[in-house]
Amino acid sequence: MKSKSPFSPMSRVQARRLPEKAQWWRLGCLGLAAAAAFMAPKAHAGDRLLGTWGVSEVDGAGGGGLTPWATITGTGSSNQTGGSAFVTHLKTQDGYDLKIGGAAVGIKDSVELSMARWSLKLGDVVPGKAIEMSVLGAKFKVAGDAVYDQDKAMPQIAVGAQFKQVDDGDLVKSLGATSTSDIDVYATATKLWLGGLAGRNVLASGTARLTRANQFGLLGFGGAGHDRHKLQLEGSLGVMLRDDLVLGTEYRMKPNNLEAGGAALREDAAWDVFLAWFPCRGGSLTLAWVNLGNIVGKEDQQGLYLSAQASF
C-alpha cells in the first residue's frame, strides 16, 4: 500500500483564501514602508544613535535578523513614536524559498508592537506548495539603556511575547505537531560598548526564549512526547565597522520536537553572518549568509538572506 505524503494538497477553499490574506499583509507592509521612507525625520540633538534600533528580526521584532534585541524599533526617542516596516527573502541551495513581510511600532522607546507574515515555498519537496504563518508580537523595555548607560555594566533588558499561527493545520499535524498556534515568551538583554574594540562600537545581545515552535512555527508547535515549552538560547554579536555599517553573527537554538516522527524531521539550530548598512536614519539593508540546518530531510539548508527596512 502506497504511503500518504505528509504534504497533502490544500482544499480549494484554503488555496483561494491564503494568497488573498497574504496579499493584504504585503500591501499593508509596503504602505508602511513607503510612509516611513517619506516621513523619516532628520537627526536632532538627543535622538537615538544611528542603527541602535537594529533591523527587523524574522518574527517582526526589532533586533537582529534571527533574534530580537532589548532595544525598541524605530528612530523615536523617549518622547516620540517611531516604527519600521520590512521585507526579507531567503532561498536555500535545495530550493526552499522564504519570504517575510512585517511592520512594527515603537512607543516612547519603551513599548514595541509588531507583526509579520511568512511564506515558505517547499521547492521540489512539494512543487507549487507554500506554508503560510502569521506572527503578532509585543515587547516591553523593563530596565537599563543599551547605549547611554556607558558608566554601568547593566544592559538594557526587555521582555516580549509572540503569538504564532500557521495556516495549514492538516499538514503540520500529519508531521506530528500537536497544535497550529502558540505563544513564545522571551527575555532579552542588549549592551552597546562605545569604542569597545579598537575604537569601534561593539553590540552584544542575548535572549532566553520559552517555545514549542517547530522550524520557527512553520511546522506547528509541540510533538509526540515533547509538548512542553523548552528554554532555548539566542544571541547576536556585532561590530560597527563605521557608524553606518555593522558586521556580526547570530545564533538561535530551536527545539527538536518532531524527531520522534523520523530522522528527516530532526531540527538544528540556525546561525548567520551578516552585514547591515544604514545609509540614512530612514532605512537599512541587511545581507547575510544563513544556515537553517536540517529541514524535512534536507541537510544543511543554507543560503543568501536579504532584508530591507524602512524606519521612522
Side-chain angles (χ1 to χ4, degrees):
M1 182 177 177
K2 191 175 181 179
S3 61
K4 184 180 179 182
S5 169
F7 297 102
S8 56
M10 293 187 296
S11 69
R12 293 181 181 177
V13 174
Q14 288 175 308
R16 287 195 299 267
R17 183 188 306 133
L18 295 186
E20 183 177 329
K21 184 189 296 184
Q23 183 179 12
W24 280 109
W25 276 75
R26 293 189 186 104
L27 287 173
C29 292
L30 288 173
L32 283 170
F38 284 103
M39 294 170 59
K42 296 180 180 179
H44 298 286
D47 282 353
R48 296 167 67 187
L49 295 181
L50 180 65
T52 55
W53 46 85
V55 294
S56 292
E57 183 238 354
V58 289
D59 291 320
L66 285 179
T67 182
W69 296 353
T71 54
I72 302 298
T73 196
T75 65
S77 60
S78 60
N79 61 352
Q80 298 173 323
T81 295
S84 62
F86 76 99
V87 290
T88 293
H89 182 227
L90 167 65
K91 188 170 184 178
T92 72
Q93 79 276 16
D94 284 332
Y96 287 114
D97 192 331
L98 177 64
K99 294 179 181 177
I100 307 173
V105 174
I107 304 170
K108 296 185 177 181
D109 198 25
S110 296
V111 178
E112 178 183 287
L113 304 175
S114 62
M115 66 177 186
R117 179 75 180 174
W118 294 50
S119 177
L120 175 68
K121 291 184 179 179
L122 298 172
D124 59 7
V125 175
V126 184
K129 168 71 174 178
I131 302 175
E132 309 276 346
M133 182 176 72
S134 300
V135 185
L136 296 175
K139 181 168 63 178
F140 305 90
K141 176 181 174 180
V142 295
D145 190 292
V147 179
Y148 294 109
D149 285 349
Q150 291 296 305
D151 57 341
K152 301 177 183 177
M154 181 178 175
Q156 181 167 327
I157 299 172
V159 296
Q162 293 169 337
F163 171 78
K164 301 182 178 184
Q165 171 77 56
V166 64
D167 291 339
D168 198 332
D170 291 339
L171 184 151
V172 299
K173 288 185 177 179
S174 73
L175 294 174
T178 59
S179 179
T180 60
S181 64
D182 201 43
I183 297 177
D184 287 2
V185 179
Y186 64 88
T188 181
T190 303
K191 183 72 175 177
L192 178 73
W193 290 272
L194 298 175
L197 179 66
R200 292 179 168 83
N201 301 339
V202 177
L203 183 141
S205 187
T207 300
R209 181 187 299 264
L210 286 173
T211 182
R212 294 191 307 152
N214 306 319
Q215 298 293 359
F216 303 99
L218 283 168
L219 298 186
F221 305 86
H226 299 278
D227 205 31
R228 295 183 177 181
H229 287 76
K230 295 180 181 178
L231 180 65
Q232 305 292 290
L233 302 180
E234 307 167 10
S236 299
L237 179 65
V239 177
M240 300 184 74
L241 303 179
R242 304 187 316 224
D243 289 344
D244 63 346
L245 196 63
V246 183
L247 175 66
T249 184
E250 298 178 286
Y251 179 83
R252 178 168 173 169
M253 296 173 63
K254 295 182 286 181
N256 191 19
N257 296 325
L258 299 178
E259 191 174 19
L265 298 178
R266 189 191 78 249
E267 193 168 1
D268 302 319
W271 59 267
D272 70 26
V273 176
F274 69 87
L275 186 67
W277 178 43
F278 297 84
C280 62
R281 294 183 68 80
S284 66
L285 292 172
T286 303
L287 183 67
W289 187 259
V290 179
N291 190 311
L292 300 176
N294 180 70
I295 302 178
V296 193
K298 292 192 173 184
E299 297 277 353
D300 202 30
Q301 290 303 292
Q302 53 188 304
L304 198 62
Y305 166 110
L306 180 64
S307 183
Q309 174 180 276
S311 303
F312 64 93

